[in-house]
Amino acid sequence: SEEKLAKFAGQPPKNFRQKFTSLEQLEAAVILLYFKQAQDMLMGDKKFHKFENKDKQLAFLYVLIEHVSEDEDFLYEFQRKKKWDKKFAMRLMRMLNEQELAWASVNWGPTKLDRLNVNPKQMVLTNHALSTIAFFLKDRSPDKQDTDAYIEKTTDVLYRLTDTSTLRSMVDL
């Protein structure tokens, strides 16, 4: 019920109704909450700030999966119902892209594409995180070891693809 959700969120029902005018807004907020919990946990760790960008993404993904694993059944059902809803996916991506996601502040590519009002690097890292959640929910391997491999391999590929040092050295010739 709405009252239970408001209580769970620590909000008075009136504020809750004003903040979430639709079930879809609430669903997107739940996904965002996982991102924020993982980010807050990492931003509070002094060691994290010294990590290389690739290691920050790895750490973020592992902490994110730790948080979503607590609600695996809910997220599995959520994904099953929403996976073909492209409009919801676009709204979710837009909402995540509008957030200040400090873990996604890496040093490659432009900060924002003004025409589209999109931060491409944040979008890539956010999509990577969402794909990791989707993979985790499908993973039936013992101890989710395939998810660990997915995180390692896809992060490596992502950072290899975005490494422009080779291109820069060719241009310098």
Side-chain angles (χ1 to χ4, degrees):
S1 77
E2 189 176 313
E3 284 81 30
K4 286 182 183 178
L5 286 171
K7 186 176 180 179
F8 176 76
Q11 297 281 323
K14 182 180 177 184
N15 291 1
F16 189 78
R17 267 183 250 111
Q18 289 172 345
K19 186 161 181 91
F20 303 111
T21 57
S22 71
L23 178 59
E24 197 167 84
Q25 284 182 333
L26 178 60
E27 291 168 335
V30 168
I31 302 301
L32 179 61
L33 179 64
Y34 295 120
F35 277 73
K36 288 195 178 232
Q37 287 173 330
Q39 177 175 279
D40 290 349
M41 183 180 214
L42 290 170
M43 298 311 284
D45 183 346
K46 291 176 185 173
K47 293 178 189 175
F48 176 76
H49 299 282
K50 296 176 184 174
F51 287 0
E52 295 294 322
N53 291 331
K54 180 180 172 183
D55 295 327
K56 285 181 179 180
Q57 179 71 356
L58 285 167
F60 177 79
L61 293 174
Y62 281 113
V63 172
L64 178 67
I65 291 302
E66 194 176 302
H67 285 285
V68 300
S69 67
E70 296 169 10
D71 297 323
E72 186 175 353
D73 292 337
F74 161 75
L75 286 169
Y76 179 80
E77 199 55 34
F78 174 78
Q79 180 190 26
R80 192 179 66 74
K81 290 179 181 175
K82 291 290 185 182
K83 73 178 175 183
W84 302 114
D85 187 347
K86 293 186 186 335
K87 288 180 182 178
F88 175 77
M90 290 304 295
R91 283 191 293 272
L92 176 62
M93 280 306 304
R94 188 167 285 121
M95 184 189 81
L96 288 170
N97 197 57
E98 289 170 358
Q99 301 303 311
E100 192 59 42
L101 301 174
W103 108 92
S105 61
V106 295
N107 299 319
W108 46 263
T111 307
K112 238 191 184 47
L113 297 177
D114 291 330
R115 245 182 48 224
L116 301 174
N117 195 27
V118 169
N119 179 330
K121 60 189 171 188
Q122 184 170 315
M123 185 177 279
V124 167
L125 297 175
T126 302
N127 272 324
H128 185 221
L130 289 172
S131 75
T132 302
I133 293 170
F135 188 91
F136 168 80
L137 294 172
K138 292 178 186 174
D139 186 1
R140 300 292 172 240
S141 66
D143 297 326
K144 300 281 189 179
Q145 63 195 23
D146 289 349
T147 297
D148 292 344
Y150 180 87
I151 289 170
E152 296 289 334
K153 289 178 181 180
T154 58
T155 302
D156 185 56
V157 168
L158 174 70
Y159 278 84
R160 284 178 188 233
L161 290 173
T162 58
D163 179 12
T164 58
S165 61
T166 305
L167 287 173
R168 279 192 216 137
S169 64
M170 286 175 56
V171 171
D172 288 343
L173 292 175

